[in-house]
Amino acid sequence: MSLSITDRLRAGTVLGAEGYVFDLERRGYIKAGPFVPEVVLDFPDAVRELHREFLRAGADVMVALTYYAHREKLRDVGREDDLEAMNRQAVRIARQVAREGDALVAGNVCNTWAYDPDDPDTKQTVRAMYAEQLGWAAEEGIDFVISETNDYLGEALIALEVTRELGLPAMVTLAPTQPDKTRDGFGYAEACRILAAEGAQVVGLNCDRGPQTMLPLITDIREAVDCAVAVQPVPYRTDAAAPTMETLRSPDGQRAFPVALDPFGCTRFEMADFALQARELGANYVGICCGAGPHHVRAMAEALGREVPASKYSPSMDLHPMFRADVAAKDAAFLHSWTA
Ligand SMILES: [Zn+2]
């Protein structure tokens, strides 16, 4: 029998891999803008393949692609009638691939865009959305729930409550889009402390920030809680001038988010360094979010000391004709004056 998420976190670092929506958008199966995972019903093989690539790269968790598969978003694209089928099928696909290895299956909910801390009625709306999504996921069979990209502590607490009512372990992560607080005014570490006190098994941050601007927030969170800490940045080079992927601009001032971020992408080596730094800071669930590719995940897995199925094809540059021997002479011969 497969170990639970809490047992795995006790035993060592758990490697996460997300960014399904961004990658399937790049592959032509999801529409940028609404970012609704219609691909789950329309091209299930594409979802299966991406799960499999992350599994081969060493991901310990297959996250069901139900991100934005909630009532509010499906209504936007005229597919509200497909809501249940989309949610159930996403979990079935994740389960099927998880069983090809030794991965766990996570149900997945996210910020709804329906929550307003100043309007108590929206709490019931959000609760109903999470209850139906996670209810279907639990019936299909999940090992735990990831509630992610939370802008509001208040909304995250609703997801946590629904998860606990289903008797499932909860990982709850906040989207650090603001300098130091959630949109309802809680410092990130304080919000994580409250989530842990309310029973989350894993708390932390995901999405929006790249490694360089997300890691500095992890130290305070690590100090604030006794439970496991998760960190899943986007693989983009955010910095002090542009701390989130939404604030990155091209040299001519155009917003790069969400479909022109390519020039800011982190290499696999930068993500491998990130994985080591995250572990050093005491993070237990180390992963990657929007923008991720299997090459990043494999490099992170290998940096953490693992050999994974895709390691069979990890680089052997000593076998490349350009790099095997006499590199300087070959540069001179093949690259001519470009090497100057
Ligand atoms: Zn993301």
Side-chain angles (χ1 to χ4, degrees), residues 176 205 208-217 236 238-244:
L205 305 174
D208 298 289
R209 297 189 187 216
Q212 202 180 316
T213 53
M214 185 176 278
L215 279 172
L217 299 173
Y236 295 113
T238 58
D239 57 21
T244 66

Side-chain angles (χ1 to χ4, degrees), residues 183-266:
R183 296 195 71 87
D184 44 359
F186 294 86
Y188 291 124
E190 172 65 0
C192 286
R193 191 193 62 72
I194 294 170
L195 288 161
E198 292 297 319
Q201 278 76 13
V202 191
V203 298
L205 305 174
N206 85 292
C207 210
D208 298 289
R209 297 189 187 216
Q212 202 180 316
T213 53
M214 185 176 278
L215 279 172
L217 299 173
I218 291 301
T219 306
D220 281 353
I221 294 174
R222 178 68 282 171
E223 282 173 10
V225 301
D226 295 326
C227 70
V229 169
V231 55
Q232 301 206 86
V234 295
Y236 295 113
R237 292 175 183 154
T238 58
D239 57 21
T244 66
M245 64 175 169
E246 292 86 347
T247 50
L248 287 167
R249 301 254 170 193
S250 67
D252 63 356
Q254 299 292 309
R255 185 190 292 273
F257 177 81
V259 288
L261 286 161
D262 311 55
F264 299 100
C266 294

Side-chain angles (χ1 to χ4, degrees), residues 18-19 22 67 148-149 206-208 232-234 245 288-291:
E18 301 197 26
F22 263 39
Y67 194 95
E148 62 176 340
T149 57
N206 85 292
C207 210
D208 298 289
Q232 301 206 86
V234 295
M245 64 175 169
I288 181 169
C289 205
C290 302

Side-chain angles (χ1 to χ4, degrees), residues 36-266:
V36 174
E38 299 171 77
V39 59
V40 166
L41 292 177
D42 299 349
F43 296 95
D45 284 346
V47 181
R48 210 169 276 127
E49 175 61 23
L50 184 53
H51 277 305
R52 197 168 282 135
E53 289 171 18
F54 282 153
L55 182 74
R56 293 185 66 255
D60 292 313
V61 177
M62 295 292 105
V63 183
L65 182 49
T66 55
Y67 194 95
Y68 279 169
H70 57 61
R71 197 166 283 283
E72 193 90 351
K73 277 282 185 180
L74 264 73
R75 194 181 293 138
D76 286 350
V77 295
R79 293 194 73 160
E80 205 177 342
D81 291 346
D82 290 333
L83 183 66
E84 180 173 349
M86 200 180 287
N87 276 272
R88 287 187 183 278
Q89 172 119 319
V91 176
R92 277 184 216 136
I93 292 171
R95 273 178 65 89
Q96 184 194 349
V97 180
R99 285 185 181 141
E100 293 174 8
D102 183 34
L104 297 175
V105 180
N108 185 239
V109 290
C110 60
N111 56 314
T112 63
W113 299 98
Y115 182 79
D116 177 353
D118 299 323
D119 179 356
D121 289 348
T122 61
K123 284 189 181 172
Q124 285 314 312
T125 308
V126 169
R127 184 171 223 295
M129 286 160 69
Y130 289 154
E132 63 184 359
Q133 272 194 285
L134 293 179
W136 295 320
E139 282 176 19
E140 294 296 332
I142 53 175
D143 298 301
F144 70 109
V145 170
I146 297 178
S147 158
E148 62 176 340
T149 57
N150 285 289
D151 294 313
Y152 297 98
L153 173 64
E155 191 170 33
L157 285 166
I158 299 171
L160 174 58
E161 195 177 279
V162 172
T163 304
R164 285 175 56 82
E165 284 168 10
L166 289 166
L168 290 163
M171 168 164 146
V172 186
T173 50
L174 306 164
T177 54
Q178 310 292 306
D180 49 20
K181 286 185 170 81
T182 63
R183 296 195 71 87
D184 44 359
F186 294 86
Y188 291 124
E190 172 65 0
C192 286
R193 191 193 62 72
I194 294 170
L195 288 161
E198 292 297 319
Q201 278 76 13
V202 191
V203 298
L205 305 174
N206 85 292
C207 210
D208 298 289
R209 297 189 187 216
Q212 202 180 316
T213 53
M214 185 176 278
L215 279 172
L217 299 173
I218 291 301
T219 306
D220 281 353
I221 294 174
R222 178 68 282 171
E223 282 173 10
V225 301
D226 295 326
C227 70
V229 169
V231 55
Q232 301 206 86
V234 295
Y236 295 113
R237 292 175 183 154
T238 58
D239 57 21
T244 66
M245 64 175 169
E246 292 86 347
T247 50
L248 287 167
R249 301 254 170 193
S250 67
D252 63 356
Q254 299 292 309
R255 185 190 292 273
F257 177 81
V259 288
L261 286 161
D262 311 55
F264 299 100
C266 294

